[in-house]
Amino acid sequence: MNHYTYDEIEVGHEESFSTVITEEMMSSFRNITGDENPLHNTKHYAESKGYPTNVCFGMLTASFLSTMAGVYLPGERSLIHRVETDFVSPVLLGDTLNITAKVQKKMDTFRAIVLHVSFKNQNGLEVCRAKMRVGVLD
C-alpha cells in the first residue's frame, strides 16, 4: 500500500496494477449483490449471445477503482469523492486487466486529485475508463 501525501503527488504521476478476473471473484460478487443475470453466470447463455465465456459484471470491473485509490494512488490517505465510468468493451472471465491511473489535476482547496484511469485487457484493448476525484487526507 502506498502512503502518498497530497504534497508528494504531482500532475502526471502514474500508478498501475494488474488483476485476473477469476471464477471466485465472479461468484463472490454474485453472492454479495444477488445479480443473477445469466450473461454473467451461465457460460452457455453467454455463448448464445456471441461471447466465448461469461461476461464479467461491470461493477466488478469498476470495483478495482477502489483498489487503485485505496492502495496505489494515493493509497492509505484516499477518500473517493466522485467516479465517472465508461464501460468500453466487455470484460470476460479469465481476462487480465491492466489498470493505470494518471493524475490529471490537483485541487488545492479540497486537497483532492483528479485521476484518469484506463483498464486494458491482455490484448491491449481498452475495456473501461474512468475519471475519479479523490481526496487526500492529512
Side-chain angles (χ1 to χ4, degrees):
M1 175 180 300
N2 290 329
H3 311 279
Y4 294 116
T5 65
Y6 183 77
D7 292 334
E8 291 173 328
I9 298 168
E10 300 293 334
V11 171
H13 185 126
E14 284 188 13
E15 293 286 342
S16 298
F17 72 96
S18 296
T19 191
V20 176
I21 302 300
T22 66
E23 291 261 4
E24 182 180 0
M25 286 177 183
M26 296 280 285
S27 178
S28 293
F29 192 86
R30 178 177 38 259
N31 290 336
I32 291 167
T33 64
D35 186 344
E36 293 293 335
N37 185 316
L39 190 61
H40 308 303
N41 300 307
T42 308
K43 183 177 180 183
H44 295 304
Y45 183 84
E47 288 173 339
S48 77
K49 300 302 177 193
Y51 298 99
T53 190
N54 303 46
V55 175
C56 180
F57 300 91
M59 296 310 291
L60 173 56
T61 299
S63 73
F64 293 107
L65 293 167
S66 181
T67 306
M68 177 55 76
V71 177
Y72 295 95
L73 189 58
E76 74 173 351
R77 293 180 172 92
S78 72
L79 180 61
I80 297 172
H81 294 185
R82 180 180 183 145
V83 175
E84 298 173 34
T85 307
D86 294 316
F87 300 102
V88 181
S89 293
V91 173
L92 303 174
L93 177 64
D95 276 357
T96 298
L97 298 180
N98 301 299
I99 304 161
T100 301
K102 184 175 184 177
V103 178
Q104 298 292 304
K105 181 178 179 180
K106 289 182 73 173
M107 303 172 72
D108 294 341
T109 302
F110 303 106
R111 298 186 61 78
I113 56 177
V114 176
L115 302 175
H116 171 75
V117 186
S118 177
F119 294 65
K120 293 183 179 179
N121 69 12
Q122 65 278 359
N123 300 317
L125 176 69
E126 186 174 52
V127 294
C128 183
R129 62 179 158 263
K131 180 179 176 182
M132 299 178 72
R133 186 173 73 195
V134 182
V136 184
L137 305 173
D138 290 335

